[in-house]
Amino acid sequence: MSLLNDLVNLNLCDVTEKVIAEYIWIGGSGMDMRSKARTLPGPESDPSRLPKWNYDGSSTEQATGDNSEVIICPQAIFRDPFRRGRNMLVMCDAYAPTGDPIPTNKRFNADKIFSHPDVIAEEPWYGIEQEYTLFQKDTKWPLGWPVGGFPAPQGPYYCGVGSDKAFGRDIVDSHYKACLFAGIDISGINGEVMPGQWEFQVGPVTGISSGDQVWMARYILERITEIAGAVLSFDPKPVLGDWNGAGAHTNYSTKSMRNDGGINVINEAIEKLSKRHKEHIAAYGKGNERRLTGLHETADINTFSWGVANRGASVRVGRDTEKEGKGYFEDRRPSSNMDPYVVTSMIAETTILWKP
C-alpha cells in the first residue's frame, strides 16, 4: 500500500510541464456528478482557453444510444486537492452537438440572467448553507447511528463536540481544507441538528460563480466520502420522524440592499418573492414537501411567511440587518438537493428583473 500511496502522490512538476485536468459535469438525474480526466500541455487559468470535450450521454441518461455524444464546455477552473501540483478541476456544462444546452444544463439560463445589465449593476451576492447527511456504506443508515436503531433525541448534536455527538468530523475537516485549497470561497462548517448531518457554507460569492463553487464543493465532498468509505446524501428528509431535514438556505443581497436605506429594497424583494412562492417552491428541490412541514425549523410549504430572526419562516431577516437598516436576507426554502444555478438565478430574476 505504501508504494501505491507513493504513486498516487507523485509530483509531476519535476518531470513534465503537462497537467491533468479533471472535467466535471452534472449527470442525468440533475444531482449526480460525473467526471473524467485528460492530459493537457500545461496549466491554464482561463476556462475559455481549455478544449471542449465529449462523453457518452446514453450512459448518463442524457442522450439516446443512436445519438449519444454530449459536448462539455469548461466554465470554471479550480486547483485539484487530490492530485495537487498544477493539476486542475474543471467545472463544465453540457450541450448537444447542435450547440443547444441539454435539459440538465441549468447553468446556461442562469448565466443569461446574471448577464442582464440590470443584474450586473446590482452585483448580487450569495451565501449558500449546504446541509448534507453522511451514511454508513454497508447499512445505509446515518453515520454514528446504531444499526437498526436510533440515537438519543436531537439536542446535543448541533455544533456538538465529542465522540457521542459528532460523527464524521474527519470527512468534514478534510472537505473544508480541500475546498480552500481548490480556491472555493468556503466560509465555514458546523455540525447540524440531526446526528450524522453537517453543513458547509459557500460565500459571499457573486452571480454565476456561486453555482460553480457550490457544485464543485459538492464534487469534492463526494470524492472525499468515496475515499473514506461513507455515502453522501443530499436528501431533504433523509430519516422520517422527529428529525431535522436538510436544506440549502440561501443568503442574498444586492448592492441596493447593502447601501443605506437598503431595508426598503429588502422589503420590496420579499414582497416579490411572496407573490411567486409557488414558482420558487417548484424549483427549490425534489422531495422538499417532506421537509417543509412547519416543524423542525421550517415554514409550511404552502404558505409564504417572513420574519426577523424567525427560523420558522420562509424568509428570515437578521437582527443586524433590521438594526442597521441594510444588509441581506435568508431564503430558507431551498432543499439540500436544489440546483444552485436555478435557485440563485431565480432569486435574482424575481427580485431584480420581475415586474409584478
Side-chain angles (χ1 to χ4, degrees):
M1 286 300 292
S2 61
L3 176 59
L4 181 61
N5 288 333
D6 288 344
L7 291 172
V8 167
N9 294 314
L10 271 178
N11 184 353
L12 302 178
C13 298
D14 297 334
V15 295
T16 180
E17 291 295 316
K18 294 178 179 179
V19 299
I20 301 171
E22 190 79 22
Y23 278 43
I24 299 155
W25 68 95
I26 299 161
S29 73
M31 271 304 294
D32 60 310
M33 303 197 74
R34 309 289 179 124
S35 74
K36 61 178 183 173
R38 66 183 298 169
T39 306
L40 297 177
E44 180 56 67
S45 59
D46 182 355
S48 68
R49 294 173 61 88
L50 292 178
K52 297 178 181 179
W53 207 5
N54 65 76
Y55 65 89
D56 172 17
S58 68
S59 295
T60 62
E61 299 183 357
Q62 292 169 298
T64 57
D66 60 347
N67 187 22
S68 64
E69 191 169 286
V70 177
I71 312 301
I72 41 177
C73 298
Q75 298 294 352
I77 297 172
F78 300 86
R79 291 183 290 273
D80 187 341
F82 303 104
R83 296 187 176 104
R84 286 167 284 187
R86 295 173 300 174
N87 302 303
M88 301 178 290
L89 301 178
V90 183
M91 192 67 216
C92 304
D93 60 354
Y95 296 82
T98 59
D100 298 316
I102 64 172
T104 50
N105 179 357
K106 306 302 183 184
R107 191 186 192 279
F108 181 82
N109 283 332
D111 196 39
K112 288 200 297 185
I113 291 170
F114 285 121
S115 298
H116 191 286
D118 293 349
V119 177
I120 293 173
E122 283 290 351
E123 298 178 12
W125 290 359
Y126 299 90
I128 295 179
E129 306 171 24
Q130 176 68 71
E131 295 177 344
Y132 60 93
T133 309
L134 298 173
F135 278 75
Q136 303 168 53
K137 182 179 179 180
D138 297 327
T139 65
K140 302 297 188 294
W141 204 229
L143 206 64
W145 290 38
V147 177
F150 295 90
Q154 295 183 155
Y157 309 108
Y158 173 70
C159 298
V161 178
S163 61
D164 59 342
K165 304 177 192 70
F167 310 112
R169 192 183 294 276
D170 53 346
I171 293 173
V172 175
D173 278 348
S174 298
H175 176 249
Y176 196 172
K177 291 182 178 180
C179 285
L180 287 171
F181 181 93
I184 292 168
D185 292 310
I186 186 169
S187 48
I189 55 101
N190 61 266
E192 269 303 330
V193 177
M194 190 184 87
Q197 189 181 87
W198 295 82
E199 172 185 300
F200 65 86
Q201 303 95 33
V202 173
V205 183
T206 304
I208 194 71
S209 295
S210 178
D212 291 336
Q213 292 198 26
V214 170
W215 274 115
M216 187 56 69
R218 286 174 170 178
Y219 172 82
I220 291 172
L221 182 56
E222 189 93 59
R223 286 282 304 275
I224 290 172
T225 57
E226 172 189 323
I227 295 167
V231 176
L232 172 64
S233 172
F234 291 111
D235 190 288
K237 188 71 174 179
V239 181
L240 296 178
D242 194 16
W243 305 99
N244 274 37
H249 304 151
T250 302
N251 299 276
Y252 170 70
S253 71
T254 63
K255 182 188 290 186
S256 298
M257 294 176 190
R258 297 187 293 269
N259 290 339
D260 290 343
I263 192 68
N264 296 319
V265 183
I266 289 173
N267 290 335
E268 292 170 4
I270 293 173
E271 179 63 22
K272 285 184 175 181
L273 288 172
S274 72
K275 293 179 179 179
R276 297 192 73 199
H277 179 63
K278 288 184 178 180
E279 292 91 333
H280 279 255
I281 286 295
Y284 274 15
K286 296 178 180 177
N288 213 6
E289 71 283 351
R290 292 182 283 118
R291 167 180 162 262
L292 295 180
T293 61
L295 303 173
H296 304 110
E297 301 180 85
T298 71
D300 180 79
I301 193 169
N302 297 309
T303 305
F304 182 89
S305 61
W306 76 276
V308 176
N310 184 357
R311 282 179 162 77
S314 307
V315 170
R316 179 183 67 88
V317 175
R319 292 284 184 199
D320 288 345
T321 296
E322 180 190 42
K323 181 179 179 181
E324 296 175 11
K326 60 183 178 181
Y328 70 97
F329 65 82
E330 176 192 43
D331 191 338
R332 297 179 59 80
R333 296 171 295 174
S335 66
S336 51
N337 60 359
M338 62 81 157
D339 189 322
Y341 293 134
V342 173
V343 169
T344 56
S345 62
M346 193 172 192
I347 292 173
E349 181 183 37
T350 295
T351 60
I352 300 172
L353 302 179
W354 185 62
K355 307 299 182 186

